[in-house]
Amino acid sequence: MNEENDILLDIAGEGGGIKIQRRNLNGKTVFSSITDEYLFSKNSTEEETNQFDDFHTLLETIFNHYPIHCLYITNVHCDYKTIVAKEFERMLNTKKIKADDFFSMENNSEKLSVNFKYDIKMKKWKATKTYKFIGEDLKIERNEFSILFDKIRQSKLPEDLKKIACEYNLNLQNDKYPRLKFGIKPIEIEELINNKTLTFDEKDKLTINQENLNPLTRLLFALVWKQGDLQKLRQIIKGIKNAGLPETEENDSLVFYSFGNHLGNPEKNPIIDQHVVRAVKLYLSDDESEYYTIRKSDKVNQFDKQDYLKFISELKCQTREYLFYIDKILFEIGKIVKLSKKLG
């Protein structure tokens, strides 16, 4: 697929159709509508192409113009399914569409991989994502879950993982955790210690010299200070210093230590957290009686870490780009299968 000239959304309506196209125009990404109907101009009967700087504004304009309950989605780009589903839900509620009037519900539920449900009491629509490997009763579809992981293990390129994510309705876009584009070398930590920017007392308590920090560093220091998380940096620092030995046993703040391992050597060491561990642990378990406990757990121990590192080491590709998408896809799976501790 040509990322510089993609059809992101294709919709059929009662009077014709409309497409949203993504294009690269002089190095800038723009979004255009292509339709043979009156949409933005009342004076032209010819095909119109209208340019927007962002997808959501164009989508909102289209949904405002058309009777939302009569629109049939015929194709949607994987990366935009969630945006389209959320906007569809919002417009159904804004226009107060009744359940019996949503003629395209079954079609659009399939295309967007969601369940549209109308709460009669609240008089409100809700779109809930659906997944092949977990049912509405929250039970794991074990066979489908195994097939998903078999495909992950057989993948060789980042593009393979993107296709898997699309097939299984997994969101690889996460604004809360934007991509890290840097690492921190162990020698850089040693320099900070040698010049007294970082100091550790006899009890291993971390102190940061605040006198020579630049504005960005002061801002980030203030955030960590306000959250009371300054001492959590100790384990990240220790992990960076030991990035060449990620298998080293470390039970104190293991997730932060492992994150330091990653920062110290992003090409080799994966990020380890409760979600990726939960996903892999559930796959590796042969005992169905353990599933419930695994899905409710939010802890990571040394055995979990070693099992996860072994799983990653056995994958067919170890490039930084591939490991980035492995982390994204396993993180998403782990979040989806997680059960609340409040459940019985």
Side-chain angles (χ1 to χ4, degrees), residues 320-336:
R320 186 171 182 175
E321 186 76 4
Y322 180 86
L323 291 175
F324 168 76
Y325 281 104
I326 276 290
D327 176 71
K328 285 288 186 182
I329 203 169
L330 295 178
F331 182 87
E332 180 75 357
I333 294 170
K335 281 177 54 181
I336 292 167

Side-chain angles (χ1 to χ4, degrees), residues 131-310:
Y131 305 97
K132 290 182 180 181
F133 55 87
I134 187 169
E136 288 190 55
D137 59 359
L138 299 183
K139 289 183 179 179
I140 296 293
E141 299 290 342
R142 186 62 189 179
N143 185 57
E144 195 62 61
F145 195 75
S146 295
I147 293 173
L148 165 59
F149 267 82
D150 287 343
K151 291 180 178 180
I152 291 173
R153 293 178 64 198
Q154 292 301 316
S155 63
K156 298 178 180 179
L157 300 169
E159 288 70 24
D160 298 334
L161 295 174
K162 293 178 185 179
K163 291 177 182 178
I164 293 169
C166 182
E167 179 184 356
Y168 283 85
N169 199 23
L170 300 171
N171 180 28
L172 299 184
Q173 310 296 321
N174 193 325
D175 294 336
K176 186 176 180 179
Y177 297 102
R179 185 168 188 172
L180 287 173
K181 298 182 179 180
F182 61 85
I184 302 175
K185 298 177 180 178
I187 192 173
E188 293 176 301
I189 294 296
E190 291 299 330
E191 289 174 358
L192 292 174
I193 293 174
N194 291 336
N195 65 27
K196 305 300 183 182
T197 300
L198 302 177
T199 58
F200 297 87
D201 65 16
E202 65 278 359
K203 295 183 179 180
D204 203 31
K205 180 181 177 181
L206 171 66
T207 301
I208 296 179
N209 186 342
Q210 303 174 38
E211 292 183 3
N212 298 316
L213 304 181
N214 63 41
L216 177 59
T217 310
R218 293 199 300 270
L219 183 63
L220 296 176
F221 176 88
L223 175 63
V224 174
W225 179 89
K226 186 67 176 67
Q227 297 282 44
D229 289 338
L230 183 61
Q231 296 308 313
K232 291 181 180 179
L233 290 174
R234 291 179 306 166
Q235 289 304 110
I236 295 179
I237 291 168
K238 188 181 292 186
I240 294 171
K241 293 172 68 176
N242 294 333
L245 301 168
E247 295 82 8
T248 303
E249 290 196 13
E250 180 63 47
N251 293 316
D252 183 25
S253 300
L254 188 148
V255 170
F256 285 95
Y257 178 82
S258 297
F259 183 52
N261 290 159
H262 171 76
L263 290 174
N265 192 343
E267 284 80 11
K268 180 181 179 182
N269 302 327
I271 297 173
I272 298 177
D273 60 32
Q274 58 162 306
H275 299 301
V276 298
V277 162
R278 184 183 304 111
V280 172
K281 195 171 182 177
L282 193 63
Y283 167 69
L284 294 176
S285 176
D286 293 324
D287 186 351
E288 290 193 20
S289 65
E290 293 182 346
Y291 295 171
Y292 189 72
T293 302
I294 293 172
R295 294 178 66 189
K296 290 182 68 176
S297 175
D298 59 3
K299 305 296 182 183
V300 179
N301 60 41
Q302 189 61 227
F303 295 107
D304 296 332
K305 175 181 177 179
Q306 298 307 324
D307 287 344
Y308 186 73
L309 290 175
K310 184 174 185 295

